[in-house]
Amino acid sequence: MDDRRARELVAAQRQRVEAALRDLTGEVNAEGDLERQQEGESDAGSELATEMVDDALIAGLRAELEAVVRAEKRIEDGTYGRSVDSGVAIPDERLESQPLAERTVEEQRRVDATER
């Protein structure tokens, strides 16, 4: 994959993740304001569950943003499109669908299996 296309794909991922983070953190702040206004009117358990889900979503988006930064660095270093583990080329089809991919499908499956 050429650098121009790689930059486009990764930039689109950055925009998507940053927009989702802005939206989600804005929603969390608005929910907090609303909860303070309605103090005593809601179920503390459901509030905690909602907060935990929001925190998990935000953490996931921040991890994805870190992956964007790593992909941008690989583009700059000239290693984008190669596995971070083996250096084997990652197929363009995979990068088109998952621009932040750091490994081949087979390598990622092995990593995922060991993390379970």
Side-chain angles (χ1 to χ4, degrees):
M1 172 171 298
D2 67 46
D3 281 355
R4 181 194 59 74
R5 182 65 180 147
R7 287 179 201 283
E8 287 174 3
L9 291 169
V10 173
Q13 292 298 305
R14 176 179 279 284
Q15 289 174 344
R16 179 189 60 77
V17 172
E18 287 178 342
L21 265 172
R22 273 192 311 274
D23 291 347
L24 187 56
T25 54
E27 288 175 17
V28 168
N29 290 338
E31 287 173 7
D33 292 344
L34 182 61
E35 287 170 9
R36 282 188 289 283
Q37 291 171 1
Q38 298 174 344
E39 216 167 283
E41 295 179 23
S42 61
D43 176 13
S46 64
E47 285 178 24
L48 180 59
T50 300
E51 185 178 324
M52 290 172 65
V53 169
D54 289 344
D55 289 348
L57 290 171
I58 290 170
L61 288 168
R62 286 186 177 143
E64 211 172 338
L65 191 55
E66 290 170 6
V68 167
V69 170
R70 291 192 304 271
E72 291 168 339
K73 175 122 175 62
R74 288 193 308 279
I75 292 169
E76 293 304 315
D77 293 345
T79 59
Y80 181 83
R82 299 223 161 256
S83 167
V84 296
D85 292 338
S86 66
V88 171
I90 299 170
D92 286 352
E93 296 81 22
R94 176 164 168 74
L95 294 171
E96 285 286 339
S97 66
Q98 296 185 348
L100 306 180
E102 297 179 319
R103 298 173 182 85
T104 64
V105 170
E106 297 79 21
E107 291 171 331
Q108 190 61 53
R109 283 186 186 139
R110 284 193 297 270
V111 168
D112 292 345
T114 61
E115 290 178 354
R116 290 181 189 168

